[in-house]
Amino acid sequence: MTLTIWVDAWQIQCCGESFAPGDVVSWTLLEVDSKDYVDIVGRERAGGIDFREEHHGWGEGRAATLVEVVSISEVHCRYGVPPGATEQALRPVPGTTVLVPVQEADGWAKPRPDVSFAGYLVTARYAVGEPESTGGGRAMTR
């Protein structure tokens, strides 16, 4: 059984470790509300996101989960102020998503025209055993 996990760009940029297909990682996984991702990835893809990866305390008290990374896609989208908004906060613009399959996630993506890097969609499966490193990072299994 595979899982789809959202990894925010800022989470890995701040203090995450790079990962690649075949790596077994120890992540704190939190359940998601798919509505939170509809504008970023579209309704269909958002409905398939099972968890988000968390390194900044929101998952305190939760045990880390070992998963083996199967595939990774960068997610890029355009940001703008929604029509009729009363505040000037930038939000993802629906329908502007660009997915780019990659062989490694390090938090930094090659710039793309008219869109910004938002995060990763990671396909993974539950793993058994102990990774060589823990705490939200990479286990060198390649």
Side-chain angles (χ1 to χ4, degrees), residues 107-128:
W108 305 100
K110 179 181 174 187
R112 301 209 163 264
D114 302 321
V115 291
S116 298
F117 176 49
Y120 298 100
L121 282 177
V122 178
T123 302
R125 62 179 152 247
Y126 289 111
V128 185

PDB file of all heavy atoms in Angstrom, residues 107-128:
ATOM      1  N   GLY A 107      14.816  20.577  -0.821  1.00  0.00           N
ATOM      2  CA  GLY A 107      14.188  21.817  -0.390  1.00  0.00           C
ATOM      3  C   GLY A 107      14.368  22.964  -1.360  1.00  0.00           C
ATOM      4  O   GLY A 107      13.745  23.999  -1.206  1.00  0.00           O
ATOM      5  N   TRP A 108      15.203  22.785  -2.352  1.00  0.00           N
ATOM      6  CA  TRP A 108      15.475  23.863  -3.302  1.00  0.00           C
ATOM      7  C   TRP A 108      15.189  23.347  -4.697  1.00  0.00           C
ATOM      8  O   TRP A 108      15.703  22.314  -5.109  1.00  0.00           O
ATOM      9  CB  TRP A 108      16.920  24.334  -3.171  1.00  0.00           C
ATOM     10  CG  TRP A 108      17.196  24.712  -1.755  1.00  0.00           C
ATOM     11  CD1 TRP A 108      17.843  23.958  -0.822  1.00  0.00           C
ATOM     12  CD2 TRP A 108      16.753  25.891  -1.084  1.00  0.00           C
ATOM     13  NE1 TRP A 108      17.846  24.608   0.391  1.00  0.00           N
ATOM     14  CE2 TRP A 108      17.184  25.797   0.262  1.00  0.00           C
ATOM     15  CE3 TRP A 108      16.052  27.017  -1.477  1.00  0.00           C
ATOM     16  CZ2 TRP A 108      16.928  26.789   1.201  1.00  0.00           C
ATOM     17  CZ3 TRP A 108      15.799  28.000  -0.541  1.00  0.00           C
ATOM     18  CH2 TRP A 108      16.242  27.885   0.778  1.00  0.00           C
ATOM     19  N   ALA A 109      14.371  24.060  -5.410  1.00  0.00           N
ATOM     20  CA  ALA A 109      13.966  23.642  -6.739  1.00  0.00           C
ATOM     21  C   ALA A 109      14.444  24.648  -7.775  1.00  0.00           C
ATOM     22  O   ALA A 109      14.557  25.839  -7.492  1.00  0.00           O
ATOM     23  CB  ALA A 109      12.441  23.524  -6.803  1.00  0.00           C
ATOM     24  N   LYS A 110      14.699  24.148  -8.973  1.00  0.00           N
ATOM     25  CA  LYS A 110      15.071  25.019 -10.083  1.00  0.00           C
ATOM     26  C   LYS A 110      13.896  25.963 -10.352  1.00  0.00           C
ATOM     27  O   LYS A 110      12.754  25.515 -10.473  1.00  0.00           O
ATOM     28  CB  LYS A 110      15.355  24.168 -11.310  1.00  0.00           C
ATOM     29  CG  LYS A 110      15.724  24.951 -12.537  1.00  0.00           C
ATOM     30  CD  LYS A 110      15.967  24.012 -13.706  1.00  0.00           C
ATOM     31  CE  LYS A 110      16.192  24.821 -14.971  1.00  0.00           C
ATOM     32  NZ  LYS A 110      16.254  23.953 -16.144  1.00  0.00           N
ATOM     33  N   PRO A 111      14.153  27.275 -10.427  1.00  0.00           N
ATOM     34  CA  PRO A 111      13.070  28.218 -10.708  1.00  0.00           C
ATOM     35  C   PRO A 111      12.369  27.892 -12.028  1.00  0.00           C
ATOM     36  O   PRO A 111      12.997  27.455 -12.985  1.00  0.00           O
ATOM     37  CB  PRO A 111      13.773  29.573 -10.788  1.00  0.00           C
ATOM     38  CG  PRO A 111      15.049  29.385 -10.043  1.00  0.00           C
ATOM     39  CD  PRO A 111      15.440  27.951 -10.257  1.00  0.00           C
ATOM     40  N   ARG A 112      11.062  28.102 -12.043  1.00  0.00           N
ATOM     41  CA  ARG A 112      10.236  27.873 -13.235  1.00  0.00           C
ATOM     42  C   ARG A 112       9.487  29.166 -13.535  1.00  0.00           C
ATOM     43  O   ARG A 112       9.108  29.893 -12.621  1.00  0.00           O
ATOM     44  CB  ARG A 112       9.257  26.741 -12.970  1.00  0.00           C
ATOM     45  CG  ARG A 112       9.987  25.470 -12.609  1.00  0.00           C
ATOM     46  CD  ARG A 112       9.216  24.245 -13.016  1.00  0.00           C
ATOM     47  NE  ARG A 112      10.100  23.115 -13.019  1.00  0.00           N
ATOM     48  CZ  ARG A 112      10.724  22.638 -14.084  1.00  0.00           C
ATOM     49  NH1 ARG A 112      10.540  23.170 -15.243  1.00  0.00           N
ATOM     50  NH2 ARG A 112      11.530  21.610 -13.992  1.00  0.00           N
ATOM     51  N   PRO A 113       9.252  29.428 -14.815  1.00  0.00           N
ATOM     52  CA  PRO A 113       8.565  30.677 -15.171  1.00  0.00           C
ATOM     53  C   PRO A 113       7.158  30.760 -14.588  1.00  0.00           C
ATOM     54  O   PRO A 113       6.398  29.787 -14.646  1.00  0.00           O
ATOM     55  CB  PRO A 113       8.498  30.627 -16.709  1.00  0.00           C
ATOM     56  CG  PRO A 113       9.381  29.504 -17.135  1.00  0.00           C
ATOM     57  CD  PRO A 113       9.594  28.612 -15.953  1.00  0.00           C
ATOM     58  N   ASP A 114       6.832  31.897 -14.005  1.00  0.00           N
ATOM     59  CA  ASP A 114       5.476  32.243 -13.563  1.00  0.00           C
ATOM     60  C   ASP A 114       4.925  31.426 -12.399  1.00  0.00           C
ATOM     61  O   ASP A 114       3.743  31.550 -12.080  1.00  0.00           O
ATOM     62  CB  ASP A 114       4.480  32.161 -14.733  1.00  0.00           C
ATOM     63  CG  ASP A 114       4.873  33.073 -15.879  1.00  0.00           C
ATOM     64  OD1 ASP A 114       5.331  34.199 -15.601  1.00  0.00           O
ATOM     65  OD2 ASP A 114       4.735  32.651 -17.039  1.00  0.00           O
ATOM     66  N   VAL A 115       5.717  30.553 -11.788  1.00  0.00           N
ATOM     67  CA  VAL A 115       5.247  29.771 -10.638  1.00  0.00           C
ATOM     68  C   VAL A 115       6.335  29.739  -9.576  1.00  0.00           C
ATOM     69  O   VAL A 115       7.507  29.978  -9.866  1.00  0.00           O
ATOM     70  CB  VAL A 115       4.844  28.319 -11.030  1.00  0.00           C
ATOM     71  CG1 VAL A 115       3.579  28.306 -11.882  1.00  0.00           C
ATOM     72  CG2 VAL A 115       5.976  27.589 -11.729  1.00  0.00           C
ATOM     73  N   SER A 116       5.935  29.445  -8.345  1.00  0.00           N
ATOM     74  CA  SER A 116       6.867  29.349  -7.219  1.00  0.00           C
ATOM     75  C   SER A 116       6.832  27.942  -6.650  1.00  0.00           C
ATOM     76  O   SER A 116       5.791  27.280  -6.659  1.00  0.00           O
ATOM     77  CB  SER A 116       6.463  30.337  -6.124  1.00  0.00           C
ATOM     78  OG  SER A 116       6.516  31.659  -6.602  1.00  0.00           O
ATOM     79  N   PHE A 117       7.938  27.519  -6.109  1.00  0.00           N
ATOM     80  CA  PHE A 117       8.053  26.205  -5.494  1.00  0.00           C
ATOM     81  C   PHE A 117       7.273  26.194  -4.181  1.00  0.00           C
ATOM     82  O   PHE A 117       7.468  27.049  -3.330  1.00  0.00           O
ATOM     83  CB  PHE A 117       9.528  25.899  -5.256  1.00  0.00           C
ATOM     84  CG  PHE A 117       9.802  24.618  -4.539  1.00  0.00           C
ATOM     85  CD1 PHE A 117       9.214  23.431  -4.933  1.00  0.00           C
ATOM     86  CD2 PHE A 117      10.675  24.597  -3.465  1.00  0.00           C
ATOM     87  CE1 PHE A 117       9.485  22.236  -4.275  1.00  0.00           C
ATOM     88  CE2 PHE A 117      10.960  23.427  -2.805  1.00  0.00           C
ATOM     89  CZ  PHE A 117      10.360  22.239  -3.205  1.00  0.00           C
ATOM     90  N   ALA A 118       6.370  25.219  -4.021  1.00  0.00           N
ATOM     91  CA  ALA A 118       5.525  25.130  -2.829  1.00  0.00           C
ATOM     92  C   ALA A 118       5.900  23.961  -1.928  1.00  0.00           C
ATOM     93  O   ALA A 118       5.795  24.049  -0.704  1.00  0.00           O
ATOM     94  CB  ALA A 118       4.058  24.998  -3.242  1.00  0.00           C
ATOM     95  N   GLY A 119       6.303  22.843  -2.527  1.00  0.00           N
ATOM     96  CA  GLY A 119       6.612  21.667  -1.724  1.00  0.00           C
ATOM     97  C   GLY A 119       6.725  20.439  -2.596  1.00  0.00           C
ATOM     98  O   GLY A 119       6.887  20.533  -3.818  1.00  0.00           O
ATOM     99  N   TYR A 120       6.611  19.285  -1.932  1.00  0.00           N
ATOM    100  CA  TYR A 120       6.748  18.013  -2.621  1.00  0.00           C
ATOM    101  C   TYR A 120       5.529  17.136  -2.366  1.00  0.00           C
ATOM    102  O   TYR A 120       4.987  17.125  -1.258  1.00  0.00           O
ATOM    103  CB  TYR A 120       7.963  17.236  -2.111  1.00  0.00           C
ATOM    104  CG  TYR A 120       9.278  17.910  -2.330  1.00  0.00           C
ATOM    105  CD1 TYR A 120       9.903  18.612  -1.300  1.00  0.00           C
ATOM    106  CD2 TYR A 120       9.924  17.838  -3.560  1.00  0.00           C
ATOM    107  CE1 TYR A 120      11.135  19.218  -1.489  1.00  0.00           C
ATOM    108  CE2 TYR A 120      11.164  18.448  -3.758  1.00  0.00           C
ATOM    109  CZ  TYR A 120      11.756  19.130  -2.722  1.00  0.00           C
ATOM    110  OH  TYR A 120      12.974  19.740  -2.911  1.00  0.00           O
ATOM    111  N   LEU A 121       5.142  16.384  -3.370  1.00  0.00           N
ATOM    112  CA  LEU A 121       4.236  15.261  -3.193  1.00  0.00           C
ATOM    113  C   LEU A 121       5.114  14.021  -3.249  1.00  0.00           C
ATOM    114  O   LEU A 121       5.815  13.785  -4.239  1.00  0.00           O
ATOM    115  CB  LEU A 121       3.182  15.203  -4.298  1.00  0.00           C
ATOM    116  CG  LEU A 121       2.030  16.173  -4.172  1.00  0.00           C
ATOM    117  CD1 LEU A 121       1.103  16.055  -5.385  1.00  0.00           C
ATOM    118  CD2 LEU A 121       1.242  15.929  -2.889  1.00  0.00           C
ATOM    119  N   VAL A 122       5.091  13.261  -2.155  1.00  0.00           N
ATOM    120  CA  VAL A 122       5.948  12.082  -2.033  1.00  0.00           C
ATOM    121  C   VAL A 122       5.065  10.849  -1.981  1.00  0.00           C
ATOM    122  O   VAL A 122       4.139  10.776  -1.165  1.00  0.00           O
ATOM    123  CB  VAL A 122       6.808  12.168  -0.748  1.00  0.00           C
ATOM    124  CG1 VAL A 122       7.661  10.921  -0.583  1.00  0.00           C
ATOM    125  CG2 VAL A 122       7.667  13.430  -0.762  1.00  0.00           C
ATOM    126  N   THR A 123       5.351   9.897  -2.846  1.00  0.00           N
ATOM    127  CA  THR A 123       4.709   8.595  -2.760  1.00  0.00           C
ATOM    128  C   THR A 123       5.650   7.718  -1.951  1.00  0.00           C
ATOM    129  O   THR A 123       6.862   7.677  -2.217  1.00  0.00           O
ATOM    130  CB  THR A 123       4.474   7.994  -4.162  1.00  0.00           C
ATOM    131  OG1 THR A 123       3.677   8.905  -4.913  1.00  0.00           O
ATOM    132  CG2 THR A 123       3.764   6.650  -4.063  1.00  0.00           C
ATOM    133  N   ALA A 124       5.102   7.041  -0.949  1.00  0.00           N
ATOM    134  CA  ALA A 124       5.923   6.221  -0.056  1.00  0.00           C
ATOM    135  C   ALA A 124       5.128   4.992   0.357  1.00  0.00           C
ATOM    136  O   ALA A 124       3.921   4.900   0.111  1.00  0.00           O
ATOM    137  CB  ALA A 124       6.323   7.034   1.175  1.00  0.00           C
ATOM    138  N   ARG A 125       5.823   4.075   0.980  1.00  0.00           N
ATOM    139  CA  ARG A 125       5.157   2.909   1.579  1.00  0.00           C
ATOM    140  C   ARG A 125       5.747   2.701   2.963  1.00  0.00           C
ATOM    141  O   ARG A 125       6.885   3.090   3.228  1.00  0.00           O
ATOM    142  CB  ARG A 125       5.283   1.681   0.696  1.00  0.00           C
ATOM    143  CG  ARG A 125       6.676   1.208   0.446  1.00  0.00           C
ATOM    144  CD  ARG A 125       6.695  -0.059  -0.439  1.00  0.00           C
ATOM    145  NE  ARG A 125       7.935  -0.092  -1.189  1.00  0.00           N
ATOM    146  CZ  ARG A 125       8.037   0.043  -2.495  1.00  0.00           C
ATOM    147  NH1 ARG A 125       6.980   0.186  -3.233  1.00  0.00           N
ATOM    148  NH2 ARG A 125       9.203   0.023  -3.081  1.00  0.00           N
ATOM    149  N   TYR A 126       4.938   2.117   3.837  1.00  0.00           N
ATOM    150  CA  TYR A 126       5.422   1.856   5.180  1.00  0.00           C
ATOM    151  C   TYR A 126       6.632   0.947   5.120  1.00  0.00           C
ATOM    152  O   TYR A 126       6.684   0.012   4.327  1.00  0.00           O
ATOM    153  CB  TYR A 126       4.329   1.201   6.033  1.00  0.00           C
ATOM    154  CG  TYR A 126       3.204   2.152   6.385  1.00  0.00           C
ATOM    155  CD1 TYR A 126       1.942   1.992   5.835  1.00  0.00           C
ATOM    156  CD2 TYR A 126       3.413   3.213   7.250  1.00  0.00           C
ATOM    157  CE1 TYR A 126       0.906   2.861   6.144  1.00  0.00           C
ATOM    158  CE2 TYR A 126       2.386   4.090   7.570  1.00  0.00           C
ATOM    159  CZ  TYR A 126       1.141   3.907   7.018  1.00  0.00           C
ATOM    160  OH  TYR A 126       0.124   4.779   7.320  1.00  0.00           O
ATOM    161  N   ALA A 127       7.612   1.234   5.968  1.00  0.00           N
ATOM    162  CA  ALA A 127       8.834   0.443   6.042  1.00  0.00           C
ATOM    163  C   ALA A 127       8.896  -0.237   7.400  1.00  0.00           C
ATOM    164  O   ALA A 127       8.257   0.200   8.357  1.00  0.00           O
ATOM    165  CB  ALA A 127      10.052   1.335   5.840  1.00  0.00           C
ATOM    166  N   VAL A 128       9.683  -1.270   7.478  1.00  0.00           N
ATOM    167  CA  VAL A 128       9.863  -2.016   8.718  1.00  0.00           C
ATOM    168  C   VAL A 128      11.332  -1.939   9.095  1.00  0.00           C
ATOM    169  O   VAL A 128      12.205  -1.965   8.232  1.00  0.00           O
ATOM    170  CB  VAL A 128       9.460  -3.500   8.536  1.00  0.00           C
ATOM    171  CG1 VAL A 128       9.542  -4.242   9.849  1.00  0.00           C
ATOM    172  CG2 VAL A 128       8.062  -3.602   7.945  1.00  0.00           C
TER     173      VAL A 128
END
